[in-house]
Amino acid sequence: LLSTGRLDADPKGASESLKLVRKLIVENEMPACRAVLFDRLKRELNTTKPLNRNDPDSERAALTKLEMLLKTNDGKFIGDDEVKVAFARRQEELRKMLLRKMGVGI
């Protein structure tokens, strides 16, 4: 997750500018940049767009991976409470979607 600097390596196909931003975040923390990235994350979590636009059916796996990146070793969410709320909302929407696919009325 770029905003936390917790990526072990540059993402596959990353541009040189993205690699530079990742390096700067890891080495200097860049609080303003992190805040902008967390704001973007919150906005994306609050939409119904798939987390992986190339494979919308992998939503559960993408959400699980995101959860691992957003939590510290003691299970607390990185970022503010809005990130936690947005993530919980996204989980609930995914649960409802899966229930609808199974034919369970909500």
Side-chain angles (χ1 to χ4, degrees):
L1 186 62
L2 185 60
S3 61
T4 64
R6 294 176 67 187
L7 288 174
D8 294 331
D10 291 318
K12 183 179 177 182
S15 66
E16 290 304 312
S17 57
L18 181 60
K19 290 176 186 178
L20 177 60
V21 169
R22 179 191 164 275
K23 180 181 177 200
L24 289 170
I25 289 173
V26 169
E27 292 176 0
N28 304 314
E29 295 188 13
M30 296 179 60
C33 183
R34 289 173 61 122
V36 168
L37 291 169
F38 269 113
D39 182 62
R40 171 76 187 267
L41 174 66
K42 288 183 280 193
R43 284 185 285 129
E44 290 298 316
L45 283 171
N46 283 313
T47 70
T48 57
K49 294 186 297 186
L51 293 174
N52 182 348
R53 67 177 176 228
N54 296 323
D55 185 10
D57 293 331
S58 69
E59 186 75 7
R60 178 183 280 179
L63 200 57
T64 300
K65 182 177 180 179
L66 182 60
E67 181 177 22
M68 291 183 343
L69 292 169
L70 283 175
K71 286 189 173 179
T72 61
N73 291 337
D74 60 355
K76 294 181 181 175
F77 271 87
I78 297 170
D80 57 24
D81 284 340
E82 289 180 37
V83 172
K84 185 177 179 178
V85 169
F87 187 84
R89 185 178 297 124
R90 187 64 171 243
Q91 281 183 311
E92 180 62 19
E93 289 303 315
L94 177 60
R95 185 185 72 79
K96 288 178 183 177
M97 181 188 71
L98 294 173
L99 288 173
R100 281 192 296 272
K101 281 185 177 181
M102 294 185 324
V104 176
I106 310 173

